[in-house]
Amino acid sequence: MADPKLTAAEKARIAVLVGRMCKRDLAGPNAHQGDLERRVNRILDGAREREEKARK
C-alpha cells in the first residue's frame, strides 16, 4: 500500500514520534515501542482516509 501525502502537521507529529522511538531505542533493546508505532500508524490511516474522501 502506497503512503499517502502528508500535511505539514502530520509530518511534524510523525517526526516527534520517530524521535521518541530513537530515544527509547537508546535506552536498551527491551524498551517497548509498540504504543508509538500504533500512533504513527493511526496518523497514516487518517491521511489515507482523508485522501479517499478527497477522491470522491
Side-chain angles (χ1 to χ4, degrees):
M1 188 181 309
D3 288 335
K5 285 205 169 232
L6 300 173
T7 63
E10 290 167 338
K11 288 178 186 178
R13 288 173 60 199
I14 289 174
V16 168
L17 292 171
V18 169
R20 289 179 65 190
M21 285 182 197
C22 292
K23 198 172 174 183
R24 283 190 188 178
D25 190 51
L26 291 174
N30 296 329
H32 178 69
Q33 295 189 14
D35 59 327
L36 298 176
E37 292 170 357
R38 280 191 302 273
R39 288 176 69 181
V40 169
N41 288 334
R42 272 192 302 233
I43 294 169
L44 292 173
D45 290 342
R48 284 186 192 101
E49 288 178 17
R50 182 179 28 81
E51 279 192 347
E52 285 296 319
K53 287 181 182 178
R55 283 187 205 150
K56 292 182 181 182

